[in-house]
Amino acid sequence: MTEVRLLGICGSLRQASHNMTLLKTAQQLLPQGVRLEIADLTEVPFFNADLTTKPAAVVALLAAMEQADGFIFACPEYNYSIAPALKNALDWASREPDNRLLVGKAAAIMGAGGGMGTSRAQYHLRQVGVYLDLHFVNKPEVFVNAFSGVFAADGALQDEKIRGTIAAQLVALQALVLRCKK
């Protein structure tokens, strides 16, 4: 079986981010033959077409995106939409010639936030992904209410049902990546 290389991109820059915890949990639940690297967006500046050279953090992000067969986006919700750090990473990638870092690649979305668990932001991200020609896993969806006791005091995800949904999403993403690579 072909190894699947995934890149996790978290839209939250907070050190104690529940969304980053979801990505780290995904690393623990990977199906056989799947590897997940998590990108670091902390030093990635806002996209600016006036820059004549790409900053080192952008070069590193784009290289990781190029190596990835697919993506997992940990999507926080800010004001009913996508967090700026996540949108910015996609903006940088989309400016590469022919959108080559994103076009035709598989992706999954997960998110932890208030009441509806980032559902509005996730649907907005899907809209952006249509333009970028990303192919999203449709089911299962991972919407986590971060304030419902699913995270332990130390920040770890302690809800087995959500862990199971993440594991199922990873299996679906692996299958979609393999279909997209054909």
Side-chain angles (χ1 to χ4, degrees), residues 30-97:
L30 293 171
Q32 186 174 8
V34 178
R35 185 178 66 199
L36 172 59
E37 174 187 345
I38 299 176
D40 179 3
L41 301 184
T42 57
E43 299 297 321
V44 176
F46 281 110
F47 173 76
N48 181 344
D50 291 340
L51 293 176
T52 56
T53 59
K54 293 178 187 126
V58 172
V59 171
L61 172 64
L62 299 180
M65 292 176 95
E66 185 166 26
Q67 294 299 311
D69 298 313
F71 303 100
I72 302 175
F73 300 117
C75 182
E77 185 169 300
Y78 293 3
N79 302 314
Y80 289 4
S81 191
I82 306 164
L86 177 54
K87 177 67 167 63
N88 186 52
L90 294 171
D91 289 344
W92 275 106
S94 71
R95 297 318 193 270
E96 290 299 292

Side-chain angles (χ1 to χ4, degrees), residues 156-178:
L157 180 62
Q158 61 185 3
D159 186 287
E160 288 305 316
K161 183 177 178 187
I162 294 170
R163 291 176 67 85
T165 304
I166 291 170
Q169 187 183 64
L170 290 165
V171 169
L173 180 56
Q174 179 184 31
L176 183 57
V177 166
L178 294 173

Side-chain angles (χ1 to χ4, degrees), residues 6-29:
L6 300 175
L7 181 65
I9 301 177
C10 182
S12 175
L13 303 178
R14 239 174 25 97
Q15 285 186 358
S17 165
H18 291 310
N19 285 282
M20 182 60 80
T21 296
L22 293 179
L23 285 178
K24 290 178 179 178
T25 300
Q27 281 182 315
Q28 299 166 7
L29 300 172

